[in-house]
Amino acid sequence: MSGDLLERPLVLTSRGARLAGMLHESKSRKLVVMCHGFMGNKIENKRLFVDAARVFAESGFCVLRFDFYGSGDSQGDFADSLITTNIANLSDVLNWARNEGYERIAVLGLSMGAATAILTCADTQVDALVAWSAVPDMKKLFTSYLENFHEIVKKNDWFEYEGWQIKKEFWEDAA
């Protein structure tokens, strides 16, 4: 990492909850906002977001990686997260970026973060949108995770998937 690039923790507020972020600063007023995937966080698997953010910063962009509500270091429980909450979180992050004076804003999302970015940017002006492995159909995704997904959702208010508690409201909201 170049000596004149700074990485600093950042705490943002969205709908009364604290969101944890990491801001990679450069001299530019161009910002890339990175949105992690389902069960992910601002670091992502094998530090994908850390490495990408550093490359973007060395290329002259500021970069904000942040954890959605209930993920990573952000406030809340993962079990209480919803896609609509993620959309609200990203909208609040974009408002923060505009208030900070960033002149150009790009949003990069991975997997469900890409779906969240697409849904958010449909109603919010940004200069660029990048979707890595976007989730095009939530119902297909959920049924690919669990063979008997529909029976589980009908019979249970929640279930556990890879150690994460997932409530029925999440699936209904996402679908």
Side-chain angles (χ1 to χ4, degrees), residues 8-35:
R8 67 178 173 92
L10 185 67
V11 176
L12 304 166
T13 302
S14 177
R15 315 303 152 136
R18 292 181 316 278
L19 303 181
M22 180 64 71
L23 183 62
H24 300 252
E25 296 179 303
S26 72
K27 295 176 183 172
S28 173
R29 297 311 300 161
K30 298 175 185 174
L31 177 70
V32 177
V33 176
M34 300 181 82
C35 302

Side-chain angles (χ1 to χ4, degrees), residues 1-7 24-28 57-60:
M1 185 171 85
S2 176
D4 56 343
L5 298 176
L6 177 67
E7 297 176 11
H24 300 252
E25 296 179 303
S26 72
K27 295 176 183 172
S28 173
E58 288 175 358
S59 299

Side-chain angles (χ1 to χ4, degrees), residues 9-12 17-22 36 40-43 65-77 164:
L10 185 67
V11 176
L12 304 166
R18 292 181 316 278
L19 303 181
M22 180 64 71
H36 64 78
N41 59 54
K42 65 185 171 298
I43 295 171
R65 302 179 283 115
F66 76 99
D67 294 324
F68 286 112
Y69 176 86
S71 294
D73 295 318
S74 287
Q75 188 175 9
D77 292 323
W164 295 96

